[in-house]
Amino acid sequence: HHGFDIDMPRGTPVYAGVSGRVVTRGLGSAYGSRAVVIRSRGRDVLLGHLRSRRVKHGERVRRGDLVGRSGARGAPDGPHLHLEVRPARGSYRTAVSPRRTVGLTAVR
């Protein structure tokens, strides 16, 4: 698996964790029809399985802006948010751990 899945109730607000430009074309259906990608500082942050999208392709967003609401589009295992970080214009094959992007540290 090439990202994090975060369990949350359907309809939970999802906010941008980074500032950048929304790029939504060419994602395919694995992330649902309303997935959002925010291109920022040479990387793409993908938010998948959204129930609704509040931003459009080409729009600039700031950290903290509402981008959509969680759902289960394209997700057979129920509502959750899929978070993935890739180099800009990369694919799931070039995804890297989103740990630093979301500020997670390992528990020992």
Side-chain angles (χ1 to χ4, degrees):
H1 192 262
H2 42 271
F4 286 147
D5 287 335
I6 304 164
D7 185 36
M8 60 182 62
R10 185 183 317 268
T12 301
V14 175
Y15 300 95
V18 296
S19 296
R21 184 169 306 277
V22 176
V23 290
T24 54
R25 298 198 174 120
L27 290 176
S29 61
Y31 304 103
S33 61
R34 296 192 173 102
V36 169
V37 174
I38 301 170
R39 184 158 294 149
S40 174
R41 298 181 181 194
R43 66 183 174 196
D44 288 347
V45 177
L46 184 144
L47 305 167
H49 308 307
L50 298 178
R51 173 182 175 179
S52 64
R53 182 171 56 206
R54 303 288 296 237
V55 294
K56 296 177 183 163
H57 181 82
E59 186 176 338
R60 289 189 85 35
V61 295
R62 291 186 181 158
R63 183 181 174 140
D65 286 351
L66 179 66
V67 295
R69 295 198 174 265
S70 66
R73 289 187 177 271
D77 48 355
H80 67 278
L81 176 69
H82 177 80
L83 172 66
E84 190 175 305
V85 177
R86 311 168 169 180
R89 297 172 189 79
S91 74
Y92 71 91
R93 292 180 180 164
T94 58
V96 298
S97 173
R99 235 177 249 284
R100 278 202 273 172
T101 301
V102 296
L104 297 177
T105 57
V107 176
R108 296 173 197 227

